[in-house]
Amino acid sequence: MDFIRRGGTRQAAFDRAVALPYSGSMLTWEDLAKDLSIQTESKIVLLVIDGLGGLPLRGKTELETAETTNLDRLAMRGCCGVTDPVLMGITPGSGPAHLALFGYDPLRYRLGRGILEALGSDVEVRQGDLVARGNFATLRDGLIVDRRAGRIATEECARLCAVLNAALAARKDPEVTLTPGKEHRFVARFRTAGLSDALTDADPQKDHKPLVKAQALDAASAKAAAVVNAFLDDVIKILAAEPVANAALLRGFSAQPSIPLMPDLTKLRPAAIANYPMYKGLAKLIGMTAYKVGQETEDLFTTIEAHYAEHDFFYVHYKKTDAAGEDGNFEAKVRAIEEIDAFLPRLEALKPDVLVVTADHSTPALMAGHSFHPNPFLLVAPTALPDETGVFTERECAGGLLGRFPSLRAMPLMLGHAGKLKKFGA
Amino acid sequence: MDFIRRGGTRQAAFDRAVALPYSGSMLTWEDLAKDLSIQTESKIVLLVIDGLGGLPLRGKTELETAETTNLDRLAMRGCCGVTDPVLMGITPGSGPAHLALFGYDPLRYRLGRGILEALGSDVEVRQGDLVARGNFATLRDGLIVDRRAGRIATEECARLCAVLNAALAARKDPEVTLTPGKEHRFVARFRTAGLSDALTDADPQKDHKPLVKAQALDAASAKAAAVVNAFLDDVIKILAAEPVANAALLRGFSAQPSIPLMPDLTKLRPAAIANYPMYKGLAKLIGMTAYKVGQETEDLFTTIEAHYAEHDFFYVHYKKTDAAGEDGNFEAKVRAIEEIDAFLPRLEALKPDVLVVTADHSTPALMAGHSFHPNPFLLVAPTALPDETGVFTERECAGGLLGRFPSLRAMPLMLGHAGKLKKFGA
């Protein structure tokens, strides 16, 4: 069996001195990771089926309704459980839910959505920069009548960003750069000294409300508020002649956070296989190599296959389940689950030492949004004690051998099963 | 029933004022223990079957394969669960795994192996002493050609320690004392002012490598490194004429740690019934009375029977399961489990108020070493709500009423069931 074959390597690693000094202070998982992790040839694949967990329609959840031959077969081979992303009852955003899965306590590391969008859009962010997510919007008589400016075409968004960048280029301080996204979306980056990110969103959140300015939540952020609001005024002047997209909204202000890198903590050589900017952005932020991935589901699998030799940890992100859940479309979510299930043999064919299938958070179609429900979790490895879970569903997983545990424990669990952690203490 | 009869005593204790002052700081289990624990006549027996948990060979783990009539009967009477010694995925050494079971957070209290060996070998250790585990080794042309000096006889080791102690006695500062162990092993104790234990091992870890000096990991340990390395040089001079054991290696440097005593925290009068030095050492370190126990399994039971009147908490340690697991010997581990199972009626005959059977950590024969898998846990008490677990195995326990919980919660659970903890708050 694989884990016996790897025994030699592990034993050699165990024999090296464990140098945790004695002290009365409490060690965290990060301390353990730094001290106990070792680089080995074993490989871990983590498939995140975004928003997988759901609630029953006609007695069955989306996952219970879907035909999932491959996931059920894997559940039979491995052991199952359910995870809480943050705390029971707490509905997480994608950021905290993913951080937890990657071994970062979401109650300790808080990331603004802006920083994730920026990184995912290949915006270079330096220490001290302030970034935010932007929308082009339609302003009429002092009211935002359409927060998305009629979902202008992506090309139109690129043109408007170029107009603004050109008009603002004369100004050297603050340096403002817009990077276009899809349809009405863009990322704004502000670069000057003394910018802090404790700002409220400059976004009325609903149509037919007046423009809203960013407000500083602490004294240190007063300069940032002034810079951001001056920019919003400039946009209205520069785009005054535009028929539809004549204003901008900004939200999710964030500075470059200070977060330890996954390769430094775990000695992993991690890769992210994701095609949505935010997930790529988060992955890059913590030191993963984020590959360019096409928009089709199959592209996830051709990409991991192409780069399988180069890494020992693969985060594969599948978005359609969450998107269908957010739309409140039960049937579409069932179909999305069945679509990803059909690709599981492609992951199995890679013969990873540890294969985990789980979700970041639940997105029940019946709630049309993220929820606090725990995530089904499935782990297949030669060192996994198989349980009696033979169907991969929320309710079956809850009875699995792994029990109910915080998502934050997923990373040590995967590393342990992969033989990548030395013994703790003597 | 017993717990009703004891109610009166408990109620009197409950009526005493609970004096926990309000503050914003978080209470730990140790704070609760100090404040809530009371001395009563009830007795707790904790049987630790070292390395009990395993992985399946031909579909069944060692514990699933073994015939365990008595453990199964106890599982039927009591309630079951599984415990994580440190964190999911983390493989613990014996020290952290036992500390957790005794109610000490292993992420807070870290013990060097040296201190455990020293205490288990009846070496007196004072605050400020530095101790380490030693090997006699064979040095040829600057290389350690045998890290165990051909596993010299225990008597030979005693002779060499006496030679060195005599030769070094002239030196008053530092005072160095060697205590012989089995075969090539000894414990070294260094006594002088200013010794700190942040040192790397003075051990090449593999044969045919050069001698390695201890290195200080912080400025405070520079003196200790100098003292230790001077001693290693002295050994080579003093033993120059020895044909086989002509050098020493040292590892696991540790100072006397600062750890609260179990009687102070819990008001227990605890006894350790263990015949391996390290487990006796750990028990003594936290204030247990460690009895001299013979090498046969039956000696554990004659010892607890002899001292049953004198204590209210008994830690009974059975080693053979772990030893067989470490050897990768599945069949020997099955036999070791069956051997201890046959003695369970001896514990039941003592009629403890709380009987717990569990493990410190898992040692699957298939991994030939400690592992991170959770431990089966079984509790029998009049206050235990029996579950449907009728077979004492890893997988059955995982479905038990106690669920999956940190080993650190075992001590409050036992004390609670023994009626030894007052109500928390009003």
Side-chain angles (χ1 to χ4, degrees):
Chain A
M1 281 166 89
D2 269 10
F3 65 89
I4 294 175
R5 184 165 50 70
R6 286 203 309 275
T9 315
R10 274 226 306 288
Q11 196 53 52
F14 288 176
D15 286 340
R16 270 184 261 144
V18 174
L20 282 176
Y22 171 78
S23 93
S25 68
M26 190 77 85
L27 295 175
T28 64
W29 153 240
E30 287 172 38
D31 298 317
L32 293 180
K34 271 183 258 187
D35 205 76
L36 303 180
S37 61
I38 50 174
Q39 209 170 67
T40 72
E41 292 307 306
S42 63
K43 288 179 192 274
I44 300 169
V45 173
L46 167 65
L47 171 62
V48 176
I49 303 181
D50 201 315
L52 178 58
L55 284 171
L57 183 70
R58 296 181 295 272
K60 287 182 174 182
T61 67
E62 299 90 317
L63 183 53
E64 288 169 344
T65 304
E67 291 285 336
T68 52
T69 321
N70 293 306
L71 286 167
D72 294 348
R73 183 171 40 73
L74 287 169
M76 186 74 83
R77 272 180 59 198
C79 57
C80 295
V82 291
T83 65
D84 289 296
V86 180
L87 292 176
M88 288 175 82
I90 303 298
T91 297
S94 303
H98 270 85
L99 280 183
L101 267 181
F102 296 143
Y104 297 88
D105 193 329
L107 297 175
R108 180 165 175 199
Y109 297 103
R110 276 101 70 197
L111 303 177
R113 187 116 184 175
I115 191 76
L116 299 176
E117 284 285 328
L119 291 164
S121 307
D122 283 324
V123 175
E124 180 230 18
V125 184
R126 293 187 201 152
Q127 203 69 41
D129 288 353
L130 179 71
V131 295
R133 305 168 74 199
N135 275 16
F136 284 111
T138 308
L139 181 69
R140 293 266 179 276
D141 307 325
L143 293 184
I144 296 295
V145 295
D146 186 345
R147 287 180 60 252
R148 298 184 183 86
R151 291 190 186 270
I152 48 170
T154 300
E155 300 72 35
E156 178 65 0
C157 179
R159 182 185 68 80
L160 293 167
C161 286
V163 165
L164 288 165
N165 284 336
L168 296 167
R171 200 176 291 173
K172 284 288 171 221
D173 187 35
E175 188 188 322
V176 185
T177 313
L178 306 192
T179 303
K182 285 186 188 176
E183 300 176 335
H184 53 284
R185 302 177 188 90
F186 64 86
V187 171
R189 186 190 66 198
F190 301 90
R191 179 170 287 170
T192 184
L195 296 184
S196 192
D197 64 0
L199 298 179
T200 60
D201 287 349
D203 184 337
Q205 309 291 351
K206 286 185 180 173
D207 288 343
H208 306 291
K209 301 250 178 185
L211 261 178
V212 171
K213 299 273 174 169
Q215 292 183 337
L217 293 168
D218 58 25
S221 301
K223 177 173 180 184
V227 163
V228 161
N229 292 326
F231 162 77
L232 293 173
D233 290 342
D234 287 343
V235 170
I236 291 169
K237 285 175 208 152
I238 298 166
L239 301 186
E242 292 291 333
V244 181
N246 61 350
L249 314 177
L250 292 174
R251 59 190 189 285
F253 292 101
S254 32
Q256 164 91 307
S258 179
I259 189 166
L261 298 182
M262 188 185 275
D264 295 338
L265 285 178
T266 63
K267 302 180 187 68
L268 287 170
R269 292 154 294 185
I273 317 289
N275 50 25
Y276 271 66
M278 214 198 68
Y279 309 94
K280 285 168 69 177
L282 175 53
K284 282 196 268 184
L285 183 72
I286 58 175
M288 292 196 203
T289 302
Y291 286 102
K292 195 169 167 58
V293 180
Q295 293 303 310
E296 300 303 316
T297 300
E298 179 159 19
D299 294 330
L300 297 171
F301 298 90
T302 49
T303 309
I304 186 174
E305 286 158 357
H307 297 282
Y308 195 67
E310 301 158 50
H311 300 274
D312 52 11
F313 181 89
F314 302 87
Y315 153 57
V316 183
H317 179 259
Y318 179 66
K319 178 73 177 172
K320 285 187 185 174
T321 32
D322 177 61
E326 292 265 12
D327 290 344
N329 191 332
F330 192 97
E331 294 307 326
K333 191 169 160 194
V334 171
R335 285 194 303 275
I337 294 168
E338 292 177 344
E339 181 185 343
I340 191 72
D341 180 74
F343 282 99
L344 263 298
R346 296 273 289 267
L347 291 185
E348 291 176 81
L350 295 169
K351 299 192 191 306
D353 297 86
V354 177
L355 172 60
V356 165
V357 182
T358 187
D360 47 351
H361 55 75
S362 296
T363 309
L366 293 184
M367 294 175 75
H370 291 196
S371 82
F372 48 82
H373 299 87
N375 305 299
F377 185 98
L378 153 63
L379 184 148
V380 181
T383 44
L385 182 59
D387 55 25
E388 290 177 2
T389 315
V391 189
F392 184 65
T393 65
E394 298 89 341
R395 289 185 263 209
E396 288 296 314
C397 283
L401 265 188
L402 293 173
R404 182 168 186 157
F405 61 100
S407 298
L408 189 56
R409 298 289 166 249
M411 184 56 71
L413 189 67
M414 290 186 278
L415 291 169
H417 277 286
K420 291 182 187 292
L421 294 175
K422 290 182 291 184
K423 187 160 62 174
F424 171 60
Chain B
M1 281 168 91
D2 270 10
F3 66 90
I4 294 176
R5 187 166 47 70
R6 284 204 309 276
T9 315
R10 274 225 306 285
Q11 197 52 50
F14 288 175
D15 288 340
R16 270 183 263 143
V18 174
L20 282 175
Y22 172 78
S23 90
S25 68
M26 191 77 87
L27 294 175
T28 64
W29 153 239
E30 287 171 40
D31 298 317
L32 293 178
K34 271 184 257 185
D35 205 75
L36 304 180
S37 62
I38 50 174
Q39 209 169 68
T40 73
E41 291 307 307
S42 63
K43 289 179 192 273
I44 300 169
V45 172
L46 167 65
L47 171 61
V48 176
I49 304 181
D50 201 316
L52 177 58
L55 283 172
L57 184 70
R58 296 180 295 272
K60 287 182 173 185
T61 67
E62 300 89 319
L63 183 54
E64 289 169 342
T65 304
E67 290 286 336
T68 53
T69 320
N70 293 306
L71 286 166
D72 293 349
R73 182 171 40 73
L74 287 168
M76 187 74 83
R77 272 181 58 199
C79 57
C80 294
V82 292
T83 65
D84 289 295
V86 180
L87 292 177
M88 289 176 84
I90 303 295
T91 298
S94 302
H98 270 83
L99 280 182
L101 267 181
F102 295 144
Y104 297 88
D105 194 328
L107 296 175
R108 180 166 175 197
Y109 298 102
R110 278 102 71 194
L111 304 176
R113 186 121 188 171
I115 191 77
L116 298 176
E117 284 285 329
L119 290 164
S121 307
D122 283 324
V123 174
E124 180 230 17
V125 184
R126 293 188 203 154
Q127 203 68 41
D129 288 353
L130 179 71
V131 295
R133 307 167 73 197
N135 274 16
F136 285 111
T138 308
L139 181 70
R140 292 264 179 278
D141 305 326
L143 294 185
I144 296 293
V145 295
D146 186 344
R147 287 180 60 252
R148 298 182 181 87
R151 291 189 184 271
I152 49 170
T154 300
E155 301 72 36
E156 179 66 359
C157 178
R159 181 185 69 79
L160 293 167
C161 286
V163 165
L164 288 166
N165 284 336
L168 297 167
R171 202 175 291 174
K172 284 289 169 219
D173 187 34
E175 189 189 321
V176 185
T177 314
L178 306 192
T179 303
K182 285 187 187 175
E183 301 176 333
H184 53 284
R185 303 178 188 89
F186 63 87
V187 171
R189 186 190 65 199
F190 301 89
R191 179 170 287 171
T192 184
L195 296 184
S196 190
D197 65 0
L199 298 179
T200 61
D201 288 349
D203 184 338
Q205 309 290 355
K206 285 186 179 173
D207 287 343
H208 306 290
K209 300 248 177 185
L211 260 179
V212 171
K213 298 274 173 166
Q215 292 183 335
L217 293 168
D218 59 27
S221 301
K223 177 173 178 184
V227 163
V228 162
N229 292 327
F231 161 77
L232 293 172
D233 289 342
D234 286 344
V235 171
I236 292 169
K237 286 175 206 150
I238 298 166
L239 301 185
E242 293 291 333
V244 181
N246 61 351
L249 314 178
L250 294 174
R251 61 190 188 283
F253 292 99
S254 31
Q256 165 90 310
S258 177
I259 189 166
L261 299 182
M262 188 184 278
D264 296 337
L265 284 179
T266 62
K267 303 181 186 65
L268 287 170
R269 294 154 293 184
I273 317 290
N275 51 26
Y276 271 66
M278 215 199 66
Y279 308 95
K280 285 168 68 177
L282 175 54
K284 283 197 268 185
L285 183 72
I286 57 173
M288 293 194 202
T289 302
Y291 287 101
K292 195 169 165 62
V293 179
Q295 292 304 308
E296 300 303 316
T297 300
E298 180 159 19
D299 295 329
L300 298 171
F301 298 90
T302 50
T303 309
I304 186 174
E305 285 158 358
H307 298 282
Y308 195 68
E310 302 159 48
H311 301 274
D312 54 10
F313 181 89
F314 301 86
Y315 153 57
V316 183
H317 180 259
Y318 179 66
K319 178 72 177 173
K320 284 188 186 175
T321 32
D322 177 62
E326 290 266 12
D327 290 344
N329 191 332
F330 192 97
E331 295 306 327
K333 192 170 161 195
V334 170
R335 285 194 303 275
I337 293 168
E338 292 177 342
E339 181 185 342
I340 192 70
D341 181 74
F343 282 99
L344 263 297
R346 296 273 289 266
L347 293 184
E348 291 175 81
L350 296 169
K351 300 192 192 305
D353 297 85
V354 177
L355 171 60
V356 165
V357 182
T358 187
D360 47 350
H361 55 76
S362 296
T363 310
L366 291 184
M367 292 175 78
H370 292 196
S371 83
F372 49 82
H373 297 88
N375 305 299
F377 186 96
L378 153 64
L379 183 146
V380 181
T383 43
L385 181 59
D387 55 25
E388 291 179 359
T389 315
V391 189
F392 184 65
T393 65
E394 299 88 343
R395 288 186 264 209
E396 289 296 316
C397 283
L401 268 188
L402 293 173
R404 183 166 186 159
F405 60 101
S407 298
L408 188 57
R409 300 287 167 249
M411 183 56 70
L413 189 68
M414 291 186 280
L415 291 168
H417 277 286
K420 291 182 188 291
L421 293 176
K422 290 180 293 184
K423 186 161 61 176
F424 171 59

